[in-house]
Amino acid sequence: ITYTLLLSAHRRRGMWEEAEAVLPAMRAEGVEADAMTYNELVHAMTLARRWGGARAAMAEAAAAGLPPNTFAYNTLLMGLVKAREWPDAERLLTEMMTSGVLADGYTYSSLLDALQVESRAHQHRGSKRGEDEGAKAVLEEMILLVSDQIVKQYQQKKSSET
């Protein structure tokens, strides 16, 4: 059994404290974590809505020479979006993009899905809640940022081919 598999099993069972204890156990045995192990921990902490734990796992990975990848950012970003933690989600997306981690189709489609859900919820509740409009505005801004990055990636690819 690998530690990453153990982390995954803890995540799937909702055993967040046990998942958090895997990295210290690995270190105690002289085993180094890889990117997949850190991604599993980010995933577990995100599902538990332990945003600080997810961020700590990303920081620890970076300190170990494994900067967070698209999967880690997408996992935490979608957790924050689903929890309607708009300021944190927006900051994380900005961090992702400024750190050079590329958004992908999953990032884009997940944000579009979240906007659709938010729009439906807004219609259902009526226009009484100002936070609904704020949430939609944040999501729309995030979608524009991601789509701009995707277009730039495409343009760079095309220019390097010529």
Side-chain angles (χ1 to χ4, degrees), residues 81-112:
V81 166
K82 287 178 183 176
R84 304 183 86 233
E85 298 285 345
W86 306 121
D88 290 338
E90 194 170 22
R91 276 192 295 273
L92 185 69
L93 180 64
T94 300
E95 175 189 313
M96 175 182 180
M97 298 177 90
T98 57
S99 68
V101 176
L102 300 176
D104 60 8
Y106 179 80
T107 315
Y108 186 72
S109 64
S110 295
L111 290 171
L112 283 174

Side-chain angles (χ1 to χ4, degrees), residues 24-57:
M26 290 175 69
R27 276 190 224 99
E29 293 188 26
V31 178
E32 289 187 34
D34 61 11
M36 288 181 62
T37 306
Y38 284 111
N39 285 346
E40 268 300 328
L41 186 55
V42 168
H43 195 178
M45 294 299 101
T46 298
L47 289 175
R49 292 185 174 213
R50 292 175 131 178
W51 315 128
R55 297 287 288 174

Side-chain angles (χ1 to χ4, degrees), residues 72-83:
Y73 275 108
N74 279 344
T75 299
L76 181 52
L77 181 63
M78 291 313 113
L80 291 168
V81 166
K82 287 178 183 176

